[in-house]
Amino acid sequence: MNTPLIEVRNLKQYFPIKTGLFKTELLKAVDDVSFSIDAGETLGLVGESGCGKTTVGRTLLHLYEPTAGEVLFEGEPVTKDNLPKMRQKMQMVFQDPYSSLDPRMTVEDIIGEPLDVHKLFENKKERRDKILYLMNLVGLNAEHATRYAHEFSGGQRQRIGIARALAVNPKFIVCDEPVSALDVSIQAQVINMFEDLQVKLGVAYLFIAHDLLVVHHISNRIAVMYLGKIVETGTADDVNYTSIHPYTQSLMSAVPIPDPDYTRQRKRIVLQGDVPSPLHMPSGCPFRTRCRFACDKCAEAMPPLTDRGGGHQVACWVK
Amino acid sequence: MDLKIRRDENGNPRKSPLSLQLNLSKFNASMFEKATEEEKRQQDVMSESTTFFKDGMRKLFKNPLAVGSIIVLGLILIIIIFAPLFVPYSYEEILSVNGVRDKGAKNLAPFTYSKMEQQYIEAGGTRFPHIFGTDEQCRDYFIRVVYGTRVSLVVGFFASIIVLIIGMLYGSISGYLGGKVDLIMMRIVDIIYSLPDMLIIILLSVVLQSILQFKPGSFLDSLGTNMISLFIVFGLLYWVGMARLIRGQILSIKQNEYILASKSIGAPTGMIIRRHILPNCISVIIISTALQIPSAIFTESYLSFVGLGVQAPMPSLGSLANSARGGLQSYPYKLLFPALTICLIVLSFNLLGDGLRDAFDPKLKR
């Protein structure tokens, strides 16, 4: 088997939280997550708010120092020492196109910043040419180069953010909910652009989102997270149509389908209760407090991810 | 789960009979006309390109109080720069006519001449008028007020710049690094905050008087050790307010995703501070510096008034006001001129600072 582009092994990210004057507790934002992404592939990461999706993306890029576990890029572990080199190969597109662009910089300088940092140009002309090429690539006009970010709409701002990520010619981009701040018509444009860029440049994506339809559309494979753990992973169709984990099933039953007749017929699985606080995780399987099928075994130990055929892995004792 | 949409016999999505949605199957491409380039351009909704700075300046110049104070400060600056070129007297010169000391030119009222000068003018000589009169040592009072204003403004500017540089460096390091470094640096600030500043100025000027020796006639010498100790105190104590302010700003700017984006690009810390953080808190820095200047001028005037300011014969607005106290009953205008100048300068800077804040604070937009 070839080495995957990105391999994440037992990644853990705990944040110390002050709960009292002298007491600190660990918030397990990401707990023992492993997955891999091949070159040119898209892995969708879904889960509800606060389940650690964004933290996975940021820890993967070492924006947070991981508590434990390692990230391998083309078989080479990412460490503090080779981080500057790795930064050229792994990039990120942020969720909020309003706060992720510096209001005091022109588009040209925003896109040019990675070029400046990694000194990817010989002279001013080359820098400008590269910037114009990138702007063209994401569908921005050359005359926008001297404008400021606040003069653009959300979709255009997100394009600027994507151009900035592409500036270093990365092989892998973490897309942290890149379309959730945009309205639906713009979402479609931006998503199609992500797909076009993948075809053109062969980049791999870790596509973080909570919109299941969007993720299903863009991803080759999907991983479902619940409270810092991956509970189900497999091909997009497997996870969508033949989901096994009770949490995934309830997620999928909540997807709106634009057909009133069908919607009236289908059954919604409504979860009871709230997400437990990540500070006080339930023992064993974190989902057991809301699970319809929970049994004694679920309280004892976290179920491991087991293969249910064709790389479709599920972490559940019951199903 | 199944995402299949129900379709009718033609393969189009089935439509409810009550739906008001257009049936797109009735249209085809030939029925549509392509948009011209001009029509496409109309779709580009773009505001006029302005920078943050230009936008702020435009707002500043709409504020009548700020414009008024800029004009007042401009006039004062022009006067203190050019007046010494036109007025033939110097600030330490005791008036004399044809080389003879003019003993009658004591405490003259504005625009009057002494007896000797009147005789001289009658004999055909020309004499520059004493615009503010003269003081009790027969010196032209206007030029003394001009020099006093110069000293006060120089002290104001330099003290603010010292405060700005130290406060900015300290505050940005403390705010950016955060955590334990921030904790320790801010406790140091708290300690410095609690020191009594006046006491330290007085003690320092006493100590420095015996230590510092300047070349006679140099600029530092004419300012005197009191002024030097004032600068040192500003450098030692007064930067803490600025440091706190900038730290707070940086703490909030640091939360923005563009800082994280810059980190994910691989930008080094210094570059992030220079490129992203400082430009984004520059408005706060400008405003607080503009407000720092009058406070420094006040401190200097106050110290000169109690006799710890510039060394005689160099005047400052505070020492002029102090010496005018003696003849307050007979010559009230001698207090009026320096006091009025201080008021004008301080008021203008405060109004300008307020105007700058209104213009550059994005939260107070329009």
Side-chain angles (χ1 to χ4, degrees), chain B residues 156-175 186 189 192-193 234-250 278 281-293 295:
Chain B
F157 273 110
F158 279 99
S160 309
I161 286 170
I162 292 171
V163 164
L164 176 69
I165 292 172
I166 300 175
M168 202 165 80
L169 281 176
Y170 197 92
S172 54
I173 292 170
S174 172
M186 279 302 118
V189 163
I192 293 173
Y193 222 74
F234 265 99
L236 283 177
L237 302 182
Y238 277 72
W239 55 268
V240 288
M242 183 70 92
R244 273 188 176 169
L245 193 80
I246 290 175
R247 168 185 171 266
Q249 272 292 310
I250 285 179
L278 287 183
C281 58
I282 202 85
S283 55
V284 177
I285 293 172
I286 294 174
I287 294 155
S288 52
T289 310
L291 294 172
Q292 184 73 49
I293 292 171
S295 112

Side-chain angles (χ1 to χ4, degrees), chain A residues 58 63 87 91 94 96 99-105 113-114 116-118 147-148 151-152 164 213 241 252 257 259 261-262 265, chain B residues 1-3 5-6 14 44 46-52 256-258 260-267 271 275-276 279-280 282:
Chain A
R58 293 185 178 177
L63 288 174
R87 291 263 189 253
Q91 274 299 318
F94 290 85
D96 182 0
S99 85
S100 62
L101 304 176
D102 189 335
R104 298 294 166 79
M105 282 166 83
E113 194 184 359
D116 297 343
V117 169
H118 297 289
R147 290 176 180 270
Y148 286 81
E151 299 170 47
F152 292 92
R164 172 175 60 189
L213 289 175
Y241 298 132
M252 292 306 161
I257 290 163
D259 183 347
D261 294 341
Y262 178 82
Q265 284 165 19
Chain B
M1 201 197 66
D2 189 358
L3 285 183
I5 294 166
R6 296 196 160 198
R14 214 188 65 182
D44 285 340
M46 275 290 179
S47 60
E48 197 192 331
S49 177
T50 72
T51 67
F52 183 82
N256 280 313
E257 269 189 342
Y258 56 82
L260 198 69
S262 195
K263 266 189 209 163
S264 77
I265 285 163
M271 191 167 172
R275 269 208 170 181
H276 298 287
N280 276 293
I282 202 85

Side-chain angles (χ1 to χ4, degrees), chain B residues 277-343:
Chain B
I277 295 183
L278 287 183
N280 276 293
C281 58
I282 202 85
S283 55
V284 177
I285 293 172
I286 294 174
I287 294 155
S288 52
T289 310
L291 294 172
Q292 184 73 49
I293 292 171
S295 112
I297 291 174
F298 250 149
T299 312
E300 184 276 328
S301 302
Y302 167 77
L303 284 172
S304 298
F305 192 81
V306 296
L308 285 165
V310 291
Q311 232 144 24
M314 176 67 92
S316 94
L317 292 175
S319 63
L320 287 174
N322 184 34
S323 55
R325 229 167 16 120
L328 192 58
Q329 304 271 319
S330 331
Y331 317 108
Y333 56 88
K334 286 212 297 184
L335 179 63
L336 186 72
F337 293 128
L340 201 67
T341 316
I342 296 177
C343 286

Side-chain angles (χ1 to χ4, degrees), chain B residues 209 214 219-229 309-311:
Chain B
Q209 209 111 48
F214 298 116
F219 176 70
L220 285 175
D221 185 52
S222 59
L223 269 180
T225 45
N226 286 333
M227 274 298 99
I228 304 303
S229 72
V310 291
Q311 232 144 24

